[in-house]
Amino acid sequence: MEREEQLSRLWSDIVGEMKRLDGGDSFGIDNYIGPLSLKEDDGTTLVLTYPENTLVDWVELNYQDRILFAATKVLKGARTLRFEPRVAAPGGATTETTVELHGPVEDAAGAPAPRPQRKAAAPRKKALVSGLNATQTFDNFVCGGSNDFAVAAAKACAARLEERPYNPLFIYGGPGLGKTHLLYAIGNAILAANEKAKVLYLTSEVFANDYIEAIANGSRAVTEFRRKYRKVDVLLIDDVQFLSRGPRTQEEFFHTFNALFESGKQIVLTADCPASEITNLEPRLSSRFQQGLTVSVHTPDLEMRTAILRKVCKEWKSEFITDEVINFLARSITRSVRQLVGACVRLVTFTAFSRRCLTVAEARQYIADIVREEKGSKVTVADIQQMIANEFNMRLAELTGPRRTAAVVQPRQLAMYLARKHTASSLQEIGAAFGGRSHATVLNAARKVEANLARDPKLAELVKKLSAELA
């Protein structure tokens, strides 16, 4: 009983940290994370159990990374995550089983209940050891003009592992466009072909936290850390741009990268921008990231977004999402595949309960928060220029003009930094908006501001305030 109470308190702390990090997203967390409970924490894996009707596919897709990140903060160390259903047994007891997860189905009484179907399936041990989400494969990745080159390169890496056609493979693009799915797909394809392969997926944040914990625990822990990361066959690292936050972490990753590369192991990396544009990344790391193949994923066009929505409806066996609603979703949510899928799953869930088709007006009401976020995210370079001009009591012409006095250069650099962080504009586009300056000038400005943030509290406070206004 004492252990159960301890786990309950720990889970409460993790959920509380998730809400704090999400700025109080109580609706999603209460509804999708609230039904979960923490069954065990063995120091490497958190085992979460869920009731029968929980949309665990939705939780894994949308909340797994946030759960792990919050857990890392609370537990001061990295974990992997495993989901197990709580199944009622005769007499009211519960038993733990492993299931394969599918979309909403009807219960025995015919009442709509979005819940997983059960199959006699072996536990996905490899996926749990490797950190992979076993449900995300090449088969359920929608390919189109915005990502076909990246998909082809990823498939080549997985199918021709011994040849290592591209090493490293560096995939970049904005958030929610499928980079993580491609990493999972590569790992899952390799494990399907060779279940003995040592595949490891993680984010750079987890790598950094693992390293910090190892340093704190002494030389033996550091040795174990290095053995863990340098003995794998395939290393899949997500969001490597965050490595730039710590020089010691960069140093350790540099040696890890070299050890794997020189021993002929495959490395696949993702980031939100090309390696050359990651601020504060050591040149030697940037150089190594670029020595293989760099590919990009872009925002999908209308046809591809429509195809993604139809695939989601098919996977969830939904009969109630009309072509009109699909068209509305595809035209309303254009920047993030993750948000697009999330909105569709939300509507599928509502229709599973109501057993009827939604009108476009109803669909708009149910996903109003997602659409608001989509529209609110479209900050332009011009918006930022006007904000900086107002903040520093300047004329817009000064920001875009040739003057290079400190009173002009510093606000200009700050505007470039914010434009890079808060808009989807490329470095070339940002430079063009500032009087035709080069992409190198924009990148240099962003790096200078980034470097000054750590030692200038007033600048850090100003950036925090301006970023909040933009958000």
Side-chain angles (χ1 to χ4, degrees), residues 3 59 66 75 125 139 220 227 231 237 268 286 352 368 457:
R3 178 59 175 166
V59 173
R66 283 187 270 178
L75 300 169
K125 292 182 180 178
D139 289 339
R220 180 176 296 181
R227 183 179 294 116
K231 297 299 182 182
I237 298 280
V268 186
S286 179

Side-chain angles (χ1 to χ4, degrees), residues 226-457:
R226 290 171 177 163
R227 183 179 294 116
K228 170 184 175 181
Y229 286 103
R230 299 183 189 184
K231 297 299 182 182
V232 299
D233 299 311
V234 183
L235 182 63
L236 310 169
I237 298 280
D238 218 350
D239 291 327
V240 293
Q241 70 270 12
F242 294 124
L243 285 174
S244 63
R245 294 177 176 177
R248 291 190 65 182
T249 302
Q250 289 193 56
E251 172 82 18
E252 183 61 31
F253 190 76
F254 172 79
H255 294 301
T256 298
F257 184 102
N258 281 350
L260 291 171
F261 186 86
E262 290 167 6
S263 58
K265 307 305 181 182
Q266 179 66 54
I267 305 165
V268 186
L269 312 167
T270 74
D272 62 1
C273 61
S276 60
E277 296 180 13
I278 298 176
T279 57
N280 293 336
L281 185 68
E282 292 184 6
R284 59 179 179 172
L285 266 182
S286 179
S287 173
R288 277 159 177 75
F289 290 174
Q290 296 175 76
Q291 71 188 40
L293 176 67
T294 296
V295 295
S296 61
V297 290
H298 303 287
T299 304
D301 59 20
L302 177 62
E303 288 74 17
M304 186 173 170
R305 295 196 299 274
T306 302
I308 291 169
L309 292 169
R310 294 192 188 284
K311 189 172 186 66
V312 171
C313 291
K314 182 178 179 181
E315 288 177 347
W316 284 81
K317 301 179 176 64
S318 174
E319 306 171 4
F320 303 106
I321 303 298
T322 65
D323 289 344
E324 289 77 12
V325 169
I326 286 177
N327 186 56
F328 161 70
L329 287 174
R331 293 183 180 280
S332 300
I333 304 172
T334 62
R335 297 167 67 88
S336 169
V337 174
R338 185 180 295 122
Q339 286 190 323
L340 185 68
V341 172
C344 189
V345 172
R346 184 183 295 185
L347 297 184
V348 165
T349 304
F350 288 136
T351 59
F353 285 107
S354 65
R355 304 297 293 173
R356 66 176 180 82
C357 296
L358 293 175
T359 65
V360 171
E362 289 173 322
R364 181 180 289 108
Q365 177 183 351
Y366 285 134
I367 65 165
D369 58 324
I370 298 177
V371 173
R372 277 197 302 271
E373 184 177 348
E374 170 82 10
K375 291 180 178 178
S377 65
K378 294 181 180 178
V379 176
T380 67
V381 177
D383 294 333
I384 291 171
Q385 289 175 329
Q386 187 63 61
M387 170 185 281
I388 293 297
N390 294 341
E391 181 70 27
F392 289 89
N393 195 25
M394 301 170 59
R395 292 180 293 109
L396 282 174
E398 292 180 285
L399 282 177
T400 59
R403 290 183 61 193
R404 296 182 53 81
T405 62
V408 173
V409 169
Q410 291 174 358
R412 181 185 294 145
Q413 289 177 341
L414 178 56
M416 290 179 176
Y417 168 83
L418 291 172
R420 186 166 181 267
K421 289 291 183 182
H422 292 279
T423 76
S425 300
S426 67
L427 292 177
Q428 290 82 357
E429 290 168 337
I430 295 171
F434 283 86
R437 288 174 168 83
S438 69
H439 76 281
T441 299
V442 178
L443 184 58
N444 185 54
R447 285 175 172 166
K448 283 185 177 179
V449 174
E450 189 84 36
N452 288 335
L453 285 174
R455 53 176 177 262
D456 188 342

Side-chain angles (χ1 to χ4, degrees), residues 3 7 37-41 47-49 82 84 96:
R3 178 59 175 166
L7 290 170
S37 59
L38 180 60
K39 177 186 176 184
E40 191 52 73
D41 172 23
V47 181
L48 299 179
T49 63
R82 185 166 83 234
E84 293 181 356
E96 304 293 345

Side-chain angles (χ1 to χ4, degrees), residues 35-37 48-52 84-88 94-96 118:
L36 306 180
S37 59
L48 299 179
T49 63
Y50 57 90
E52 244 184 321
E84 293 181 356
R86 293 197 295 270
V87 180
T94 60
T95 60
E96 304 293 345
R118 295 175 186 77

